[in-house]
Amino acid sequence: MTANVMVVVERQFDVPRDRVFRAWTLPEELRRWRGSPGWHVESETVAGDLQIGGRHTHVKVRDNDPGTRVTTDGVYTEYFEPDVFVSRERITGDPGIDPNTPLELRVEFTKYGRDGRGTLLRIIQGPYDPDVAGWHGEGWEKELTRLQNYLAGTGEYANGEDAS
């Protein structure tokens, strides 16, 4: 199959966009919430050089099978805090993604609401093979629920820490 599908996911947060942007880009925050249920980010693998041309990495590990690991290694091609970042990424360990074909990840942070204190987050990523695009969109939805819990200080974070 030809990888030709872009996944688009949006979520509104009642949190200022600079706060949401920091949660996405600062390694000490990213490691707290990334990963779908049943996965966590290995803290010591998270790194980020927050500028155009800067590299960022992290490794997600399956909770019940630590040998299952998905590595993301990216380079920022755009980085405009707190509005948007774009990254060209190679992902290894995910059976639905060809590690030799880079994906593009674009994350936009837009003010919303009457007072402009909320954030509309929009993720655009791909290209994916049509057979796996839906699964990856669902994965983003689950991760954004974790981000929402992290920002609200409620729920369980990706690394199993409790918010309390």
Side-chain angles (χ1 to χ4, degrees), residues 19 27-44 46 63 145-164:
R19 177 72 190 98
E28 61 270 18
E29 293 202 38
L30 184 82
R31 67 176 49 111
R32 304 275 314 272
W33 65 269
R34 281 299 305 266
S36 294
W39 293 78
H40 68 277
V41 170
E42 200 169 58
S43 291
E44 60 273 9
V46 182
D63 294 343
T145 297
R146 282 200 162 164
L147 174 59
Q148 195 159 8
N149 291 342
Y150 172 70
L151 291 170
T154 62
E156 185 180 309
Y157 302 146
N159 63 3
E161 293 177 27
D162 188 67
S164 48

Side-chain angles (χ1 to χ4, degrees), residues 5-9 36 60 70 91 94-98 103 123 125-143:
V5 176
M6 300 300 285
V7 169
V8 179
V9 178
S36 294
K60 293 180 196 169
V70 176
I91 299 174
D94 185 322
I97 297 176
D98 179 354
L103 296 177
I123 298 168
Q125 189 177 40
Y128 287 102
D129 287 332
D131 292 345
V132 299
W135 180 82
H136 283 89
E138 289 174 21
W140 275 122
E141 290 287 353
K142 291 174 183 176
E143 288 200 41

Side-chain angles (χ1 to χ4, degrees), residues 70-161:
V70 176
T71 301
T72 299
D73 183 21
V75 174
Y76 291 114
T77 58
E78 294 180 41
Y79 191 90
F80 300 100
E81 185 174 345
D83 300 309
V84 64
F85 69 81
V86 179
S87 175
R88 188 165 177 81
E89 301 179 335
R90 291 199 185 273
I91 299 174
T92 56
D94 185 322
I97 297 176
D98 179 354
N100 297 312
T101 303
L103 296 177
E104 181 174 278
L105 171 66
R106 178 181 185 86
V107 185
E108 301 169 351
F109 305 80
T110 305
K111 287 183 184 181
Y112 92 93
R114 213 180 307 223
D115 60 5
R117 291 187 190 187
T119 303
L120 173 63
L121 178 75
R122 185 172 199 223
I123 298 168
I124 305 165
Q125 189 177 40
Y128 287 102
D129 287 332
D131 292 345
V132 299
W135 180 82
H136 283 89
E138 289 174 21
W140 275 122
E141 290 287 353
K142 291 174 183 176
E143 288 200 41
L144 291 181
T145 297
R146 282 200 162 164
L147 174 59
Q148 195 159 8
N149 291 342
Y150 172 70
L151 291 170
T154 62
E156 185 180 309
Y157 302 146
N159 63 3
E161 293 177 27

